[in-house]
Amino acid sequence: MTKLETQEYHLKWVDDLLKRPILWAVGQEITKFSENTSKFRRNKFFSLSDTKNISEETHYWYNENNINAKSIAYLKSHFSQCNLVIGYELSYQTRAILSRAGIKYIDMWLHPIRFMDDNLYSFDSNSIDIRHKLFSFNLSDKQYFLSADRFKISNYRGWNKKENEYDAKLIDNSALFIGQTLTDKAVCQNGKMLNILDFKDNFKKACLEYAHVYYSRHPMLRGDDSSIVNYINSYDNASIIEIPSYYLLCSTKIKKVFSISSSVVTEAKFFDKETEYLFQPVVSIGTIEDKNAYSSVFGEFVSPHFWSEVLSNLYTPLSSEKIQFFNPGTKIRDMLGLYYNSHTFDRVDMLFKGGVHTKEESNKKKNNSENLLSPNKILFSKFTTAVESAEVISFDVFDTLIERPVSKPSAVFDLMSGHVSKITSGKIKDFKEARIHAKNHVLRKDEFEEITLSQRYDEIKKCFLSANKNRVPHMTTS
């Protein structure tokens, strides 16, 4: 379901990593399967079911129920001599099709928990026997809790304690929404790429239930997400946050973590957060009793002993020798270059990236920072050329020519609070609280996209003149 270029990219490293331990374990050669290495053609597979295949799409979605018996027979003809398919991150459609064709598979996914000593991988199979053997290697949840506690302690006590300053900037009783990339099979539903704008009711509910909602954008985001940013900024108690999510998970001020499909939601559970998936996790982890769960394996899949056990009902084991990397921490992470902000919890990775400096290096970096403030003459030249050739020039003057002397819009309410208390003879003791809840109350009541200033202050007026003193929650009155 991914374009051929992406398939080949993953097939190469999966083949190089697994072919030797599987050969040692059961004496079987791995054969790579793609349109480049076989006579199978996806266009023919889909055309037999009168389904269009757009092979150049990064993530091609189709309804597996529309695939007919002719397509299934065509697929089976290319696997007639095959006892097992090992797939890397197979879609649920692909898994369903393989099962219908009676083809046994093992599905391998990058694990959703990424704060361990190395990258984990998740495994599942449509073979009951193989699935039971895979779960004999399953990690306990206690392992994740232990690692999360270690990370939390290092964040306020150990090598990383300087980052604890982030916590002071956060608002207590907050929620964290983890954003994702705009094009990702993890957020694809019926061919549509989901984002927060598809879950406005859920986001609004969080803004009403929590003092603040932080929106964390994906670090690899590509494309225009301005509509999302504008929506987030339409709430007085919501904002975009740039602090790495792992630091936020360590904070006791973050009470809830939610997302469409981000693996950070799975990780947040082990930092004692309330969690919610608005769509679904890409991969569920758990025990064998959960039919949708994948087994969690730490590094052992590079060893013959893993494959001799997992494949023992298909082949006669030749070797059950336990051969793994010396000091397995970060080996797979380094090998594949899949770091996922590991420098935030891995001191070696932080040092490698130059994030920890001696006093002399820090002073040198500080002195050199003045150079960053000098004009970039090449860029300025390109800018003036563009201006001279343009018919219309538009300037965004806010926060440039017009300055707001506070870090965030709602901080203005703190500056106004004393004046409001005096004007209202003390009837409004906490103006900031009243102002925020007034806007959210109108949003909840009238479902407006944007609330005018007049509507907000009319709502405050009604609440203080009304006999019902509890009309706006948490608003202090006298």
Side-chain angles (χ1 to χ4, degrees):
M1 289 182 65
T2 54
K3 62 183 179 182
L4 188 59
E5 178 186 355
T6 306
Q7 287 186 18
E8 294 294 336
Y9 171 78
H10 286 297
L11 277 176
K12 180 174 175 55
W13 73 259
V14 171
D15 178 67
D16 284 340
L17 186 63
L18 300 185
K19 64 183 179 183
R20 205 179 303 277
I22 290 178
L23 181 63
W24 287 338
V26 294
Q28 294 295 315
E29 296 274 1
I30 286 180
T31 301
K32 287 194 292 185
F33 183 84
S34 74
E35 290 191 81
N36 283 345
T37 60
S38 73
K39 294 181 179 179
F40 177 83
R41 295 294 177 264
R42 283 188 295 178
N43 279 332
K44 181 174 181 180
F45 172 83
F46 286 111
S47 66
L48 288 171
S49 296
D50 296 322
T51 300
K52 185 180 180 182
N53 171 30
I54 309 174
S55 58
E56 290 307 309
E57 286 190 5
T58 302
H59 304 294
Y60 169 62
W61 184 93
Y62 69 96
N63 186 336
E64 73 278 12
N65 295 319
N66 294 334
I67 301 302
N68 63 27
K70 291 181 181 179
S71 292
I72 298 295
Y74 174 70
L75 177 68
K76 287 177 67 175
S77 69
H78 293 276
F79 285 93
S80 58
Q81 304 300 315
C82 176
N83 290 332
L84 181 73
V85 169
I86 298 175
Y88 182 71
E89 299 192 348
L90 300 176
S91 67
Y92 73 85
Q93 290 101 322
T94 304
R95 300 195 299 267
I97 293 298
L98 289 173
S99 293
R100 282 176 58 189
I103 300 170
K104 290 182 180 179
Y105 68 75
I106 292 176
D107 188 22
M108 174 183 176
W109 280 76
L110 178 64
H111 200 277
I113 295 177
R114 296 164 192 174
F115 56 78
M116 304 289 282
D117 288 345
D118 201 353
N119 287 343
L120 308 177
Y121 281 84
S122 308
F123 290 83
D124 195 17
S125 175
N126 60 349
S127 163
I128 295 176
D129 175 72
I130 292 177
R131 190 170 194 271
H132 274 83
K133 294 181 183 301
L134 287 170
F135 270 87
S136 69
F137 295 90
N138 192 36
L139 291 179
S140 166
D141 277 5
K142 294 176 182 177
Q143 195 76 53
Y144 309 132
F145 279 113
L146 188 64
S147 295
D149 289 343
R150 167 190 163 196
F151 180 33
K152 285 190 289 188
I153 293 169
S154 75
N155 208 49
Y156 65 77
R157 181 67 182 87
W159 70 273
N160 209 30
K161 60 187 177 183
K162 68 183 183 65
E163 303 299 351
N164 198 42
E165 64 192 39
Y166 288 138
D167 193 68
K169 301 175 182 179
L170 301 176
I171 299 172
D172 197 15
N173 189 33
S174 292
L176 171 65
F177 184 90
I178 303 296
Q180 294 173 254
T181 54
L182 301 178
T183 303
D184 186 346
K185 60 187 174 185
V187 296
C188 183
Q189 183 183 45
N190 297 333
K192 181 183 187 303
M193 297 297 170
L194 304 172
N195 61 55
I196 191 59
L197 301 180
D198 297 296
F199 300 93
K200 289 184 177 181
D201 289 344
N202 302 83
F203 193 83
K204 186 194 324 184
K205 180 181 177 183
C207 289
L208 292 170
E209 291 181 355
Y210 294 91
H212 199 85
V213 178
Y214 295 104
Y215 183 97
S216 178
R217 298 163 86 188
H218 196 282
M220 297 176 66
L221 180 71
R222 299 289 184 272
D224 182 11
D225 69 336
S226 57
S227 59
I228 295 173
V229 172
N230 291 336
Y231 175 70
I232 301 302
N233 289 335
S234 71
Y235 288 87
D236 288 331
N237 65 329
S239 60
I240 308 292
I241 192 166
E242 301 295 335
I243 299 173
S245 57
Y246 283 123
Y247 294 145
L248 299 174
L249 294 184
C250 288
S251 175
T252 57
K253 293 180 179 178
I254 302 295
K255 305 299 182 183
K256 177 178 181 176
V257 177
F258 64 123
S259 181
I260 296 171
S261 196
S262 172
S263 62
V264 178
V265 175
T266 298
E267 294 177 303
K269 167 188 171 182
F270 302 101
F271 290 83
D272 302 312
K273 308 300 182 188
E274 180 188 348
T275 61
E276 181 183 9
Y277 277 108
L278 302 183
F279 179 37
Q280 62 186 15
V282 181
V283 174
S284 296
I285 60 172
T287 62
I288 195 169
E289 288 74 25
D290 181 356
K291 65 178 182 179
N292 295 317
Y294 276 58
S295 174
S296 304
V297 181
F298 180 73
E300 292 185 277
F301 56 88
V302 302
S303 175
H305 85 280
F306 175 86
W307 293 105
S308 64
E309 173 66 19
V310 169
L311 303 180
S312 59
N313 272 31
L314 293 178
Y315 306 101
T316 301
L318 301 179
S319 171
S320 59
E321 189 176 1
K322 196 168 186 176
I323 304 174
Q324 292 180 254
F325 299 120
F326 285 118
N327 186 22
T330 76
K331 289 296 191 298
I332 296 174
R333 184 179 292 150
D334 291 344
M335 176 176 64
L336 299 176
L338 296 175
Y339 293 99
Y340 292 100
N341 288 322
S342 59
H343 63 279
T344 60
F345 56 83
D346 188 317
R347 187 170 189 265
V348 175
D349 191 29
M350 173 68 85
L351 288 167
F352 179 75
K353 291 181 182 300
V356 178
H357 302 280
T358 64
K359 185 175 181 180
E360 291 76 14
E361 288 173 329
S362 297
N363 289 335
K364 183 179 179 180
K365 186 177 180 181
K366 183 178 180 181
N367 293 334
N368 289 340
S369 66
E370 295 178 3
N371 296 330
L372 300 176
L373 301 177
S374 59
N376 186 319
K377 294 182 179 179
I378 296 176
L379 182 62
F380 186 75
S381 175
K382 290 181 178 179
F383 172 75
T384 53
T385 301
V387 168
E388 290 171 356
S389 62
E391 293 183 9
V392 178
I393 305 170
S394 175
F395 293 95
D396 181 3
V397 299
F398 192 73
D399 274 340
T400 50
L401 297 178
I402 300 175
E403 181 184 9
R404 179 177 62 211
V406 291
S407 60
K408 52 193 296 188
S410 59
V412 174
F413 306 152
D414 294 318
L415 300 176
M416 296 171 62
S417 188
H419 300 289
V420 172
S421 179
K422 183 177 180 181
I423 293 170
T424 62
S425 301
K427 288 182 179 180
I428 302 180
K429 294 179 180 178
D430 189 341
F431 173 70
K432 181 176 181 179
E433 187 80 0
R435 175 67 172 71
I436 290 174
H437 280 289
K439 177 190 176 183
N440 290 339
H441 192 67
V442 176
L443 272 173
R444 182 175 56 190
K445 194 171 58 172
D446 294 331
E447 303 292 334
F448 292 143
E449 284 294 325
E450 183 57 49
I451 306 301
T452 66
L453 286 174
S454 297
Q455 288 172 315
R456 300 174 204 202
Y457 283 102
D458 284 345
E459 188 65 25
I460 292 177
K461 181 179 178 182
K462 291 176 186 176
C463 289
F464 285 98
L465 293 180
S466 172
N468 179 5
K469 300 297 183 183
N470 296 319
R471 183 171 180 178
V472 178
H474 310 299
M475 189 180 291
T476 304
T477 61
S478 61

